Amino acid sequence: MKNTIKVHRAMHDMTQDQLAKAVGVTRQTILAIEKGRYDPSLTLAFRIARYFNVNIEEVFIWTGEEK
Amino acid sequence: MKKNTFYIFAGVSALILLLLFSLSIKLTNPVPVAAGFVCYVLLILLLRRKIDGIIHDERQTAIDMHASAVTIRAAAVMFVTVNLGTAVYVFSEALGFHRPPIETTVPIQSLGAYPPFIHAPPAQIPTSDLGGFAVIQLILLIATLFIYAGARTYFAHKFGGIGEDDEEYH
């Protein structure tokens, strides 16, 4: 699953740390999601999308089955 | 409470636990170290809640779950192996497999035995043997802790977040 968190962060001029605090996770978790190493739960995905005030599909893009 | 304060407190408490262990050995009474260990665990669990700034999010929960699953599997194999071996040792007499007589250099007057002083095998497993079994279990428990730490490091790396800091601070 791809995501555009980094783009949205840049648009909002935010650091990973600020986004992490805003959605209640650690900075390492945001880093791992951005790098595609960790797929967030549906709750966290919605929380991130809602924070950027966009639909979840605009932040997380389904690319098919995981390897 | 700060994280470092917690670690110092945990370290000092562990040293006190070691003292209780040596006291138990001296008194040949397991109660002090057993009671001390239960108090230690309760104290650590209580103090962990008081640490400031700890965020345990879903990624860490996922890491914990995967590491725990691996540790449980590995621990089950190790403990079943040792316990099966020990069970055979304990039940061998009951099953009819007699241990060979033990030679001793100490004359046993009550048995009227003379050199080479052979006496019958003990009907029960000596306490010292059970102590040896406890030491093996302790070694296995410590090995389990190492397996957990290793698995946790592996999954923390697999789920990202370790050594990949590309944050751009403003």
Side-chain angles (χ1 to χ4, degrees):
Chain A
M1 188 160 62
K2 287 181 180 173
N3 67 79
T4 56
I5 293 177
K6 202 166 185 172
V7 176
H8 281 89
R9 261 197 320 111
M11 283 161 61
H12 287 78
D13 195 24
M14 286 184 87
T15 62
Q16 289 173 342
D17 197 38
Q18 286 167 336
L19 177 61
K21 279 179 183 151
V23 295
V25 295
T26 60
R27 191 179 62 74
Q28 284 81 8
T29 299
I30 298 295
L31 172 66
I33 295 170
E34 278 188 6
K35 286 192 170 284
R37 304 285 291 270
Y38 174 71
D39 290 336
S41 67
L42 207 51
T43 310
L44 179 57
F46 268 110
R47 222 183 291 158
I48 292 169
R50 290 289 178 273
Y51 185 79
F52 291 131
N53 212 19
V54 292
N55 286 327
I56 196 166
E57 293 91 345
E58 289 178 54
V59 183
F60 296 97
I61 302 118
W62 175 248
T63 56
E65 292 297 323
E66 295 297 308
K67 62 262 176 195
Chain B
M1 179 191 278
K2 284 183 180 173
K3 217 173 177 180
N4 286 345
T5 315
F6 169 77
Y7 287 135
I8 291 168
F9 201 88
V12 171
S13 305
L15 283 176
I16 293 169
L17 199 62
L18 271 177
L19 288 175
L20 281 176
F21 184 63
S22 70
L23 179 75
S24 284
I25 291 169
K26 205 171 182 180
L27 298 174
T28 59
N29 184 357
V31 174
V33 71
F37 183 72
V38 172
C39 291
Y40 176 74
V41 171
L42 290 176
L43 195 72
I44 293 296
L45 288 176
L46 204 74
L47 286 176
R48 255 179 63 173
R49 294 181 181 180
K50 307 262 179 194
I51 303 173
D52 303 323
I54 292 281
I55 301 170
H56 199 85
D57 64 11
E58 60 174 56
R59 181 179 145 271
Q60 279 167 340
T61 306
I63 292 168
D64 283 345
M65 280 170 59
H66 282 82
S68 302
V70 168
T71 308
I72 286 170
R73 277 186 223 125
V77 171
M78 290 192 307
F79 275 88
V80 169
T81 305
V82 170
N83 281 301
L84 272 178
T86 312
V88 168
Y89 178 68
V90 170
F91 289 110
S92 59
E93 283 187 27
L95 291 171
F97 300 105
H98 296 286
R99 277 178 282 179
I102 299 162
E103 281 194 27
T104 175
T105 53
V106 181
I108 301 164
Q109 298 298 333
S110 60
L111 291 176
Y114 294 97
F117 305 120
I118 293 173
H119 62 82
Q124 290 179 324
I125 301 296
T127 315
S128 57
D129 284 12
L130 294 174
F133 180 57
V135 170
I136 291 172
Q137 292 223 36
L138 268 180
I139 291 167
L140 289 182
L141 279 173
I142 290 165
T144 304
L145 285 178
F146 275 100
I147 290 169
Y148 179 74
R152 218 178 175 288
T153 308
Y154 169 76
F155 284 109
H157 192 262
K158 190 182 175 187
F159 293 143
I162 287 182
E164 298 173 17
D165 196 348
D166 66 345
E167 179 66 278
E168 292 169 14
Y169 287 99
H170 295 268

